[in-house]
Amino acid sequence: MSSKPKYVQDQEMVPGVYWVGIVDWMVRIFHGYHTDEGSSYNSYLIDDECPTVIDSVKYPFAEEWLSRIAACCPLDKIKYVVMNHAEGDHASSLKDHYHKFTNATFVCTKKCQEHLKILYGMENATWLIVDDKYTLKIGKRTLKFIPVPLLHWPDSTFTYCPEDKILFSNDGFGQHYATSKRWADECDVSHVMHLFKEYTANILGLFSAQMRKALEVASTVEIKYILSAHGVSWRGDAMGLAIAEYDRWSKGQHCQKKVTVVLDSMYGTTHRMALALLDGARSTGCETVLLEMTSSDITKVALHTYDSGAVAFASPTLNNTMMPSIAAALNYVKGLTLIKGKPAFAFGAFGWSNRAVPDIVAELRDGCKAEVYDEKGITFKFNYTEALLEQAYNAGVDLGKRAIAYCEKNAPKQ
Ligand code: FEO
């Protein structure tokens, strides 16, 4: 310990386990995800008789990552590099640098090895292929492996250290959050939980069944710390909160009495109708959220539709269909299956071709598998009227009631 520089000692997460990751303060787009608060690519060094690195980092940060490890332990003394996932944010630094771990064995599942080889070559690497029955002894500690396919890729794996009760969860329990803190309980926990929900909706929302399976497997071991590969890690009460959220999310029991309207507008008339609809929804006791795509983005669409009990999409007709931003938003929530089964409504203005709402309805119904209970929606030529505003208000009341009914139907069973 004493031979390690202070900045390394300061990153000791658990006795003998050091954070050697990267905080990416500047990233603002992460494969389409708007990372407003940056991110981190967390890697860890276990300082045991067989010094072991857990996960790598994104390629541009390879040198910094290697120097952090070397400050803990010379690279030629690293015995194992455990890879929980092959995606570039956790593995691409291996491509040109894996050989610098001159005496290391790369440890991963067969599926992860397949992906690592395709993506990064690693022709001369030494491998140890593990599965859920394998135990790797690294000194006074051992490591076990819990494959969690599709959390986030087919190769995703948790690594568990029973002696320290650490779950290295990689993408699991992550958040896109650049911070100098390493633990959720060192931060404003409610803010971390917000980022955690946003991350889960956007990255893992599609995989609730896999999340359920992962939780069930992880529940068979005692966990004191969850060391994630993105954002801050978890211990104590904050870890309990995070596990409870995963439990609700994985069971589809997370919806709030909340109505989200996603819209674009050309001259403000569709926007004005949305305000009336939201007033109606609010009157039922629902929280209401308006996401205007000129000032919002698909990441926020995923965040808010994820826990809404009902949604509406609105657009005026442009070029005989909906506006491109609404098509993109629908496409995104369709892929993530975020509004499947939820009450959904459509409305919007038109000039001479009344096409936006029918096209939105078709995508909500057939693509997103939402419950479109009124296929006509509300359409209006050019401008709203007092009567139309009243119609929108009443549609909001109806949508709010449906949101509440949806939430009650999907609430945790007592
Ligand atoms: Fe953080 Fe699936 O990579």
Side-chain angles (χ1 to χ4, degrees), residues 181-233:
K181 306 294 188 185
R182 296 286 162 260
W183 296 103
D185 57 87
E186 296 174 334
C187 307
D188 174 345
V189 174
S190 64
H191 184 59
V192 174
M193 297 310 288
H194 172 83
L195 296 172
F196 181 41
K197 180 168 69 177
E198 180 181 83
Y199 175 94
T200 304
N202 279 273
I203 302 290
L204 303 177
L206 175 60
F207 303 122
S208 58
Q210 289 79 8
M211 192 187 291
R212 184 85 232 123
K213 278 187 203 157
L215 270 184
E216 282 167 6
V217 175
S219 70
T220 62
V221 297
E222 189 181 350
I223 299 170
K224 194 170 175 189
Y225 309 99
I226 296 176
L227 269 52
S228 166
H230 290 296
V232 289
S233 290

Side-chain angles (χ1 to χ4, degrees), residues 85 87 89-90 152 171 230:
H85 184 21
E87 192 170 2
D89 49 330
H90 308 293
H152 163 230
D171 276 340
H230 290 296

